[in-house]
Amino acid sequence: MSVAVKKIHDLIASPRNVAMFKREVLVCSRLHHPNIMIVCGAVMAEGSPLQIVMELLEGSVGEVIDAAHASGSYLTVYEQLFIAMDMASGISYLHQIRPLPYVHGDIRPSNVLVTRDMKVKVGDLGSAHIIESSLSAGPMSPSYVAPERSSTSSTLASDIYSFGVSLIEIFSGVGPIPEERQTQLALLAPRSHLFMLCSRLIRQKPADRMSAQRCFETLKAAVAENHSKLPSR
């Protein structure tokens, strides 16, 4: 396996960032799933920069979206569906860990990594925490934050909302603007199955949102229905 080394720079080595860095190592060391980033080890010796040794990946889904726009094209149906399905698979795994699920806390395209053949790995788990822990919500881009999270810690439901916003971005190619959430969702109306899926992920009431596992099953069925139209991967 080719590996990369992630270091925490001295300029950002605040107590909070160091704690987040160490938490990422701890969380990743407990997780084993094809759609979760693999951490091979870590170096946290006194006097040395904190380092995480992880599998080498090509970049983030956010970078893939930006590169597609820069080339004057966009992601194919094949790429969109498989990115979405792999994301749902990884998030579903976190949410179904027993006895206590993990909340990711910062789901967005820039925190989801891709391999050269476009397989997706959910990463940047420094904000992740066990669902019953007392940890407060970690830092997050406001564009992906669930409406209820301004006053509470991150939850499984807030993860789902952020995932739904990410899928709207992946399927539409338009970056999220909170004030235009419904307008951006409407861009998916011609693809009714995706419109309905994303609608169920970003509902205002947390209890009304679709689970990551159900989303994964829905996307897997969509891939199966389009199998004859999509190249094998």
Side-chain angles (χ1 to χ4, degrees):
M1 175 190 294
S2 297
V3 299
V5 178
K6 177 179 179 180
K7 298 181 180 181
I8 185 167
H9 197 282
D10 291 340
L11 294 177
I12 61 169
S14 66
R16 179 182 177 83
N17 286 341
V18 169
M20 296 280 282
F21 195 91
K22 290 181 178 180
R23 187 190 302 167
E24 182 173 9
V25 175
L26 179 62
V27 170
C28 289
S29 68
R30 297 172 174 174
L31 306 177
H32 304 281
H33 188 272
N35 298 119
I36 298 291
M37 182 185 68
I38 297 173
V39 169
C40 307
V43 177
M44 292 184 284
E46 186 175 350
S48 300
L50 302 178
Q51 303 176 40
I52 301 177
V53 181
M54 62 187 70
E55 63 180 317
L56 180 62
L57 300 172
E58 294 296 304
S60 71
V61 170
E63 290 170 339
V64 169
I65 292 173
D66 290 342
H69 282 304
S71 68
S73 61
Y74 192 56
L75 302 175
T76 65
V77 172
Y78 161 75
E79 291 168 330
Q80 292 174 31
L81 286 174
F82 272 107
I83 286 173
M85 187 174 68
D86 281 357
M87 284 181 66
S89 177
I91 296 167
S92 177
Y93 167 76
L94 293 175
H95 286 190
Q96 293 188 83
I97 291 176
R98 295 295 181 266
L100 295 174
Y102 269 93
V103 174
H104 184 282
D106 195 7
I107 294 171
R108 48 192 162 114
S110 60
N111 284 343
V112 180
L113 308 176
V114 294
T115 64
R116 185 167 298 174
D117 57 352
M118 293 298 291
K119 292 182 180 177
V120 168
K121 307 271 186 171
V122 176
D124 281 334
L125 291 159
S127 297
H129 61 273
I130 298 173
I131 191 170
E132 291 188 359
S133 75
S134 59
L135 295 171
S136 60
M140 188 176 181
S141 169
S143 299
Y144 301 89
V145 173
E148 74 276 5
R149 204 185 125 167
S150 59
S151 59
T152 65
S153 298
S154 52
T155 63
L156 298 181
S158 64
D159 267 3
I160 292 299
Y161 187 93
S162 302
F163 177 43
V165 174
S166 299
L167 290 194
I168 293 173
E169 181 176 356
I170 291 167
F171 292 137
S172 71
V174 179
I177 301 174
E179 298 78 13
E180 299 181 12
R181 185 79 74 229
Q182 295 303 316
T183 300
Q184 293 181 326
L185 176 62
L187 295 174
L188 303 182
R191 303 166 72 181
S192 59
H193 61 300
L194 298 180
F195 174 83
M196 292 300 296
L197 173 64
C198 292
S199 295
R200 295 187 62 185
L201 295 172
I202 64 166
R203 289 184 174 172
Q204 291 294 304
K205 292 183 179 180
D208 292 338
R209 296 173 196 156
M210 178 187 288
S211 69
Q213 178 61 27
R214 182 70 181 276
C215 182
F216 169 70
E217 292 168 356
T218 302
L219 289 164
K220 186 176 180 180
V223 169
E225 290 172 5
N226 290 275
H227 181 74
S228 62
K229 305 175 185 177
L230 301 176
S232 59
R233 187 174 70 153

